Amino acid sequence: MNDMTPFVSKPKDWETDQEVRWCPGCGDYAVLKAVQRTMPELGVKPENTVFVSGIGCSSRFPYYMETYGFHTIHGRAPAVATGIKLANPDLDVWIITGDGDALSIGGNHTMHLLRRNLDCQILLFNNEIYGLTKGQYSPTSRVGTRSPSTPFGSVDRPANPCAFALGSGARFVARGIDVHKNLPTVLKAAHAHKGASFVEIFQNCIVYNDEVFAPFTEKAQAGAKQLWLENGKPMLFDGGAKGLTLDVNTLTLKVVDVTDGDWQAAAVIVHDETNRGIAHMLVEMPFGAYPVALGTIYNSPAPTFESAVVEQNAKASEGKAADLQTLIGKGQTWMVDKEPRAE
């Protein structure tokens, strides 16, 4: 079992000697630094930590973390992570994936990991494009996105990662932004959750989809377009001048003005991160008309997959002695001649 005493480390202890190789200006650099800054605050040990990735730009991540790591195959990081966690439930497992890796070829694996509630952290870097394979549209690309595979503009309706996670039974869903100062807070909340933690990170691809999130990430727009949620606090944004209320007639969220800071008079609702229905509404608010919900959106722990497997195996082995030779000898057996037969 792991020693529960918090481990003292520095961000430098989590950096490898490998050259970090992404395009200059890529948002992945900011996410990497945020994770490396966060790990010491978790009090965990590098030798008890595993980063698992699939295929894509983000999937180079394990090379840059001074931990154990697996750079696996396209879309299968959840399957490998499940095997790791079942083999050693004490390990701290992180999955690094992208919108293409997790939601196209890996959609099936991501769904099952979430519904099973494996205790791990899933960081989905969403840049709404296939970066590694040179800019084709991805499952999260918006309608009208022009790319080598959609030269006249995509006609696909994009997938919503957080809505997908909630629909798959995720018990923890959060959002962050690659360069935002609050990203480490989101990562710490995800790690504190016992079970599958799903974090969508809006990540800028400077080469193939630059500034796609600018309408809500640019400094001039951020206050009016970002809603940072905090459990037990009113859903306020734009410096407290606006908030969200629940229209009881239509059962939808609505933006309201807040006068003189009196959010109660404006009927602004308080964030309850255990409310799954409101969480669905928050992740499906359309860009533009509403702010983007960020931070911990939903957090309602449930028993984990690996704990159930460990418990089941323990019950199945009660009163039984481990004897490999007896097991091999059960059922149909046969002898192999010691000497070769004559021709």
Side-chain angles (χ1 to χ4, degrees), residues 96-129:
I96 306 296
T97 187
D99 44 301
D101 185 57
L103 298 177
S104 56
I105 191 169
N108 183 53
H109 294 276
T110 305
M111 175 185 72
H112 291 304
L113 181 140
L114 291 170
R115 73 170 179 81
R116 287 171 175 152
N117 198 33
L118 186 81
D119 185 24
C120 65
Q121 294 74 237
I122 308 155
L123 308 187
L124 187 151
F125 296 22
N126 182 13
N127 56 21
E128 297 189 2
I129 207 76

Side-chain angles (χ1 to χ4, degrees), residues 94-254:
W94 297 71
I95 296 175
I96 306 296
T97 187
D99 44 301
D101 185 57
L103 298 177
S104 56
I105 191 169
N108 183 53
H109 294 276
T110 305
M111 175 185 72
H112 291 304
L113 181 140
L114 291 170
R115 73 170 179 81
R116 287 171 175 152
N117 198 33
L118 186 81
D119 185 24
C120 65
Q121 294 74 237
I122 308 155
L123 308 187
L124 187 151
F125 296 22
N126 182 13
N127 56 21
E128 297 189 2
I129 207 76
Y130 278 108
L132 185 67
T133 51
K134 307 301 182 286
Q136 300 88 345
Y137 85 118
S138 84
T140 58
S141 296
R142 301 174 202 182
V143 173
T145 298
R146 291 181 177 273
S147 76
S149 52
T150 54
F152 303 110
S154 171
V155 297
D156 277 2
R157 292 181 58 195
N160 181 328
C162 287
F164 170 86
L166 285 168
S168 299
R171 308 298 304 190
F172 181 99
V173 175
R175 277 183 180 150
I177 299 171
D178 51 9
V179 296
H180 201 282
K181 64 180 181 180
N182 287 354
L183 182 56
T185 301
V186 176
L187 297 175
K188 284 186 280 188
H191 185 266
H193 174 84
K194 186 69 174 175
S197 299
F198 182 90
V199 181
E200 176 187 12
I201 302 174
F202 295 112
Q203 177 262 323
N204 189 50
C205 176
I206 196 169
V207 176
Y208 297 111
N209 212 15
D210 193 25
E211 302 295 344
V212 69
F213 303 120
F216 68 88
T217 59
E218 279 189 348
K219 190 174 182 180
Q221 306 289 334
K225 295 299 181 181
Q226 295 179 17
L227 169 62
W228 283 94
L229 299 163
E230 190 174 349
N231 193 43
K233 299 292 182 66
M235 295 186 187
L236 296 170
F237 62 100
D238 200 7
K242 295 182 183 296
L244 292 182
T245 189
L246 180 64
D247 188 324
V248 295
N249 294 316
T250 61
L251 292 180
T252 57
L253 295 176
K254 183 172 67 173

Side-chain angles (χ1 to χ4, degrees), residues 322-330 333:
D323 188 339
L324 181 61
Q325 190 58 47
T326 300
L327 180 64
I328 292 174
K330 290 180 65 175
T333 61

